[in-house]
Amino acid sequence: VDGAGKVVQCVYHEWDDITETTASSFSPVAGSKISFTPKFADSLLVIIYDFYLTVVWVSGYQEVGAAAQISHNGTVFQPAPPLTRFEMYTNASATSSSGSNLFARQVKINSIAAGSTSARDIELQFAVRHDNGNLGAINRSSHHSHLLVQEIAQ
């Protein structure tokens, strides 16, 4: 590729696997992982996840929240905020029944130096705010999520 700033390659991935959790420890989102091989070690990788996140108040503790983070080659390089400050949150205290949902499309964008031309895995991880039986889900109700990885010449 001749010239910095040009796209060397672009990989698009879409998935509809449903992943649900009640755990506050981060775990992989099913279907979100791809293997990516940069063409140049000095490239910049731009990683964009667009995903459908749902939090559900089931019972008990009324604060329900969730967050996601990107894992690149086994290392989280865009960590989610601390468990006390989540990216999607609701307080269900005004809710009269179990099963109340909050759902929205979320986006995670970041970049990282390729560093080598070795293949690496890129994956989305997520967790809920508290281990209390309330639920977080990706792609609930037949929604789709997306990943776009662009390799940019430097």
Side-chain angles (χ1 to χ4, degrees):
V1 174
D2 184 25
K6 293 191 177 178
V7 176
V8 175
Q9 66 174 315
C10 186
V11 174
Y12 172 80
H13 172 64
E14 180 177 334
W15 77 97
D16 62 359
D17 304 61
I18 298 169
T19 303
E20 295 183 341
T21 189
T22 58
S24 62
S25 57
F26 283 87
S27 59
V29 173
S32 72
K33 182 164 79 173
I34 66 162
S35 179
F36 184 84
T37 305
K39 296 194 183 297
F40 302 102
D42 63 346
S43 294
L44 181 70
L45 305 182
V46 177
I47 302 169
I48 304 169
Y49 271 105
D50 164 49
F51 56 99
Y52 189 82
L53 177 63
T54 305
V55 293
V56 182
W57 180 65
V58 178
S59 65
Y61 198 78
Q62 295 172 328
E63 292 183 325
V64 183
Q69 58 191 19
I70 298 172
S71 172
H72 170 265
N73 216 21
T75 301
V76 173
F77 74 98
Q78 184 185 25
L83 295 178
T84 55
R85 295 190 312 267
F86 264 48
E87 297 164 318
M88 189 163 148
Y89 168 83
T90 186
N91 187 322
S93 60
T95 305
S96 60
S97 64
S98 174
S100 298
N101 294 274
L102 174 64
F103 48 89
R105 191 151 290 282
Q106 304 285 306
V107 176
K108 297 293 274 186
I109 302 172
N110 212 328
S111 62
I112 192 166
S116 77
T117 56
S118 298
R120 75 276 322 272
D121 290 336
I122 299 171
E123 179 175 52
L124 188 67
Q125 302 173 347
F126 88 121
V128 294
R129 181 180 166 115
H130 299 288
D131 289 321
N132 61 7
N134 291 322
L135 178 73
I138 304 285
N139 289 340
R140 198 166 197 223
S141 304
S142 303
H143 287 275
H144 292 92
S145 293
H146 314 92
L147 165 63
L148 180 67
V149 180
Q150 293 182 318
E151 180 179 358
I152 310 294
Q154 297 301 292

